[in-house]
Short mmCIF file of all heavy atoms in Angstrom, two decimals:
data_model
loop_
_atom_site.label_atom_id
_atom_site.label_comp_id
_atom_site.label_asym_id
_atom_site.label_seq_id
_atom_site.Cartn_x
_atom_site.Cartn_y
_atom_site.Cartn_z
N LEU A 310 -1.51 5.50 7.17
CA LEU A 310 -0.62 5.34 8.33
C LEU A 310 0.39 6.48 8.35
O LEU A 310 0.88 6.89 7.29
CB LEU A 310 0.08 3.99 8.24
CG LEU A 310 1.08 3.61 9.33
CD1 LEU A 310 1.06 2.08 9.54
CD2 LEU A 310 2.51 4.04 8.99
N VAL A 311 0.70 6.98 9.54
CA VAL A 311 1.68 8.05 9.66
C VAL A 311 2.35 7.94 11.03
O VAL A 311 1.82 7.31 11.95
CB VAL A 311 1.01 9.43 9.47
CG1 VAL A 311 0.14 9.79 10.66
CG2 VAL A 311 2.05 10.52 9.20
N GLY A 312 3.52 8.53 11.16
CA GLY A 312 4.26 8.48 12.42
C GLY A 312 4.70 9.85 12.89
O GLY A 312 3.88 10.70 13.24
N SER A 313 6.02 10.08 12.86
CA SER A 313 6.57 11.30 13.45
C SER A 313 6.10 12.57 12.75
O SER A 313 6.15 13.65 13.34
CB SER A 313 8.10 11.24 13.44
OG SER A 313 8.61 11.11 12.13
N LEU A 314 5.64 12.47 11.52
CA LEU A 314 5.13 13.64 10.82
C LEU A 314 3.98 14.29 11.60
O LEU A 314 3.81 15.51 11.57
CB LEU A 314 4.64 13.23 9.43
CG LEU A 314 4.80 14.25 8.30
CD1 LEU A 314 6.26 14.57 8.06
CD2 LEU A 314 4.16 13.73 7.02
N VAL A 315 3.21 13.47 12.32
CA VAL A 315 2.14 13.97 13.20
C VAL A 315 2.61 14.04 14.64
O VAL A 315 2.37 15.03 15.35
CB VAL A 315 0.90 13.06 13.08
CG1 VAL A 315 -0.08 13.31 14.22
CG2 VAL A 315 0.20 13.29 11.75
N MET A 316 3.32 13.01 15.11
CA MET A 316 3.63 12.90 16.53
C MET A 316 4.58 13.98 17.03
O MET A 316 4.59 14.31 18.22
CB MET A 316 4.20 11.52 16.83
CG MET A 316 3.18 10.40 16.67
SD MET A 316 3.88 8.76 16.91
CE MET A 316 4.30 8.83 18.67
N GLU A 317 5.39 14.58 16.15
CA GLU A 317 6.28 15.66 16.58
C GLU A 317 5.51 16.91 16.99
O GLU A 317 6.07 17.78 17.66
CB GLU A 317 7.27 15.99 15.47
CG GLU A 317 8.34 14.93 15.28
CD GLU A 317 9.38 15.30 14.23
OE1 GLU A 317 9.13 16.26 13.46
OE2 GLU A 317 10.42 14.64 14.18
N HIS A 318 4.26 16.99 16.61
CA HIS A 318 3.46 18.18 16.91
C HIS A 318 2.39 17.91 17.97
O HIS A 318 1.53 18.77 18.21
CB HIS A 318 2.82 18.71 15.62
CG HIS A 318 3.79 18.86 14.50
ND1 HIS A 318 4.91 19.67 14.58
CD2 HIS A 318 3.85 18.27 13.27
CE1 HIS A 318 5.60 19.58 13.45
NE2 HIS A 318 4.98 18.74 12.65
N CYS A 319 2.44 16.72 18.57
CA CYS A 319 1.44 16.35 19.57
C CYS A 319 2.10 15.69 20.77
O CYS A 319 3.17 15.10 20.67
CB CYS A 319 0.43 15.34 18.98
SG CYS A 319 -0.58 15.97 17.65
N TYR A 320 1.44 15.80 21.91
CA TYR A 320 1.73 14.94 23.04
C TYR A 320 0.82 13.74 22.86
O TYR A 320 -0.40 13.87 22.78
CB TYR A 320 1.44 15.66 24.36
CG TYR A 320 1.76 14.85 25.60
CD1 TYR A 320 3.07 14.48 25.90
CD2 TYR A 320 0.74 14.44 26.46
CE1 TYR A 320 3.36 13.74 27.04
CE2 TYR A 320 1.03 13.70 27.61
CZ TYR A 320 2.34 13.35 27.88
OH TYR A 320 2.63 12.62 29.00
N THR A 321 1.41 12.54 22.75
CA THR A 321 0.69 11.35 22.32
C THR A 321 0.65 10.33 23.45
O THR A 321 1.69 9.96 23.99
CB THR A 321 1.36 10.72 21.09
OG1 THR A 321 1.52 11.71 20.08
CG2 THR A 321 0.54 9.57 20.55
N VAL A 322 -0.55 9.86 23.79
CA VAL A 322 -0.72 8.88 24.87
C VAL A 322 -1.43 7.65 24.31
O VAL A 322 -2.56 7.74 23.83
CB VAL A 322 -1.53 9.46 26.03
CG1 VAL A 322 -1.73 8.39 27.12
CG2 VAL A 322 -0.85 10.70 26.61
N HIS A 323 -0.75 6.49 24.39
CA HIS A 323 -1.37 5.20 24.08
C HIS A 323 -1.92 4.61 25.37
O HIS A 323 -1.18 4.48 26.35
CB HIS A 323 -0.34 4.24 23.48
CG HIS A 323 0.23 4.69 22.16
ND1 HIS A 323 1.06 5.79 22.04
CD2 HIS A 323 0.09 4.18 20.92
CE1 HIS A 323 1.41 5.93 20.77
NE2 HIS A 323 0.83 4.97 20.08
N GLU A 324 -3.19 4.28 25.37
CA GLU A 324 -3.82 3.76 26.58
C GLU A 324 -4.26 2.31 26.38
O GLU A 324 -4.91 1.97 25.38
CB GLU A 324 -5.03 4.61 26.97
CG GLU A 324 -5.70 4.11 28.26
CD GLU A 324 -6.87 4.98 28.69
OE1 GLU A 324 -6.99 6.13 28.18
OE2 GLU A 324 -7.66 4.53 29.55
N TYR A 325 -3.90 1.46 27.37
CA TYR A 325 -4.29 0.05 27.37
C TYR A 325 -5.37 -0.22 28.41
O TYR A 325 -5.55 0.56 29.36
CB TYR A 325 -3.09 -0.84 27.71
CG TYR A 325 -2.01 -0.93 26.67
CD1 TYR A 325 -0.84 -0.17 26.79
CD2 TYR A 325 -2.13 -1.80 25.59
CE1 TYR A 325 0.17 -0.27 25.84
CE2 TYR A 325 -1.11 -1.91 24.64
CZ TYR A 325 0.03 -1.14 24.77
OH TYR A 325 1.03 -1.25 23.84
N GLN A 326 -6.07 -1.33 28.26
CA GLN A 326 -6.87 -1.94 29.32
C GLN A 326 -6.06 -3.12 29.85
O GLN A 326 -5.72 -4.04 29.10
CB GLN A 326 -8.20 -2.44 28.76
CG GLN A 326 -8.95 -3.39 29.68
CD GLN A 326 -9.49 -2.71 30.92
OE1 GLN A 326 -10.39 -1.87 30.83
NE2 GLN A 326 -8.96 -3.07 32.08
N ILE A 327 -5.71 -3.08 31.13
CA ILE A 327 -4.92 -4.15 31.73
C ILE A 327 -5.86 -5.21 32.30
O ILE A 327 -6.83 -4.89 33.00
CB ILE A 327 -4.00 -3.62 32.85
CG1 ILE A 327 -3.12 -2.47 32.31
CG2 ILE A 327 -3.13 -4.75 33.40
CD1 ILE A 327 -2.19 -2.87 31.20
N VAL A 328 -5.57 -6.45 32.00
CA VAL A 328 -6.35 -7.58 32.50
C VAL A 328 -5.41 -8.47 33.30
O VAL A 328 -4.40 -8.95 32.77
CB VAL A 328 -6.97 -8.39 31.34
CG1 VAL A 328 -7.86 -9.50 31.90
CG2 VAL A 328 -7.77 -7.48 30.41
N LYS A 329 -5.73 -8.67 34.59
CA LYS A 329 -4.92 -9.54 35.44
C LYS A 329 -5.49 -10.95 35.38
O LYS A 329 -6.62 -11.21 35.79
CB LYS A 329 -4.89 -9.03 36.87
CG LYS A 329 -3.91 -9.80 37.75
CD LYS A 329 -3.74 -9.16 39.12
CE LYS A 329 -2.69 -9.90 39.94
NZ LYS A 329 -2.49 -9.31 41.27
N CYS A 330 -4.66 -11.87 34.87
CA CYS A 330 -5.12 -13.25 34.68
C CYS A 330 -4.71 -14.15 35.83
O CYS A 330 -5.22 -15.27 35.95
CB CYS A 330 -4.56 -13.82 33.38
SG CYS A 330 -4.85 -12.78 31.94
N GLY A 331 -3.77 -13.73 36.65
CA GLY A 331 -3.25 -14.54 37.74
C GLY A 331 -2.13 -13.78 38.41
O GLY A 331 -1.90 -12.59 38.14
N HIS A 332 -1.40 -14.44 39.29
CA HIS A 332 -0.32 -13.78 40.00
C HIS A 332 0.75 -13.31 39.01
O HIS A 332 1.38 -14.11 38.33
CB HIS A 332 0.30 -14.73 41.03
CG HIS A 332 1.44 -14.11 41.79
ND1 HIS A 332 1.25 -13.03 42.64
CD2 HIS A 332 2.78 -14.41 41.83
CE1 HIS A 332 2.42 -12.69 43.16
NE2 HIS A 332 3.36 -13.52 42.69
N GLU A 333 0.92 -11.98 38.93
CA GLU A 333 1.89 -11.35 38.04
C GLU A 333 1.72 -11.77 36.59
O GLU A 333 2.68 -11.83 35.81
CB GLU A 333 3.32 -11.64 38.52
CG GLU A 333 3.65 -11.04 39.88
CD GLU A 333 5.08 -11.29 40.30
OE1 GLU A 333 5.75 -12.11 39.64
OE2 GLU A 333 5.51 -10.70 41.30
N VAL A 334 0.50 -12.09 36.21
CA VAL A 334 0.19 -12.41 34.81
C VAL A 334 -0.79 -11.36 34.30
O VAL A 334 -1.92 -11.26 34.80
CB VAL A 334 -0.42 -13.82 34.67
CG1 VAL A 334 -0.75 -14.11 33.21
CG2 VAL A 334 0.55 -14.86 35.22
N TYR A 335 -0.33 -10.56 33.35
CA TYR A 335 -1.13 -9.46 32.83
C TYR A 335 -1.26 -9.58 31.31
O TYR A 335 -0.28 -9.88 30.61
CB TYR A 335 -0.49 -8.10 33.17
CG TYR A 335 -0.37 -7.84 34.65
CD1 TYR A 335 0.82 -8.09 35.32
CD2 TYR A 335 -1.45 -7.34 35.37
CE1 TYR A 335 0.94 -7.85 36.69
CE2 TYR A 335 -1.34 -7.10 36.74
CZ TYR A 335 -0.14 -7.36 37.39
OH TYR A 335 -0.04 -7.12 38.74
N SER A 336 -2.46 -9.32 30.83
CA SER A 336 -2.69 -9.18 29.40
C SER A 336 -3.08 -7.74 29.11
O SER A 336 -3.56 -7.02 30.00
CB SER A 336 -3.79 -10.13 28.93
OG SER A 336 -3.40 -11.48 29.09
N LEU A 337 -2.86 -7.31 27.87
CA LEU A 337 -3.13 -5.92 27.51
C LEU A 337 -4.06 -5.88 26.31
O LEU A 337 -3.79 -6.52 25.28
CB LEU A 337 -1.83 -5.18 27.16
CG LEU A 337 -0.90 -4.80 28.32
CD1 LEU A 337 -0.11 -6.02 28.78
CD2 LEU A 337 0.07 -3.70 27.88
N ALA A 338 -5.14 -5.14 26.45
CA ALA A 338 -6.07 -4.89 25.35
C ALA A 338 -6.00 -3.40 25.00
O ALA A 338 -5.74 -2.56 25.86
CB ALA A 338 -7.49 -5.28 25.74
#
Side-chain angles (χ1 to χ4, degrees):
L310 179 148
V311 71
S313 59
L314 213 63
V315 165
M316 292 176 66
E317 288 183 346
H318 311 301
C319 295
Y320 182 66
T321 307
V322 178
H323 296 68
E324 182 177 344
Y325 290 100
Q326 165 69 67
I327 305 298
V328 184
K329 188 172 184 179
C330 308
H332 180 64
E333 296 182 349
V334 179
Y335 299 97
S336 296
L337 286 78

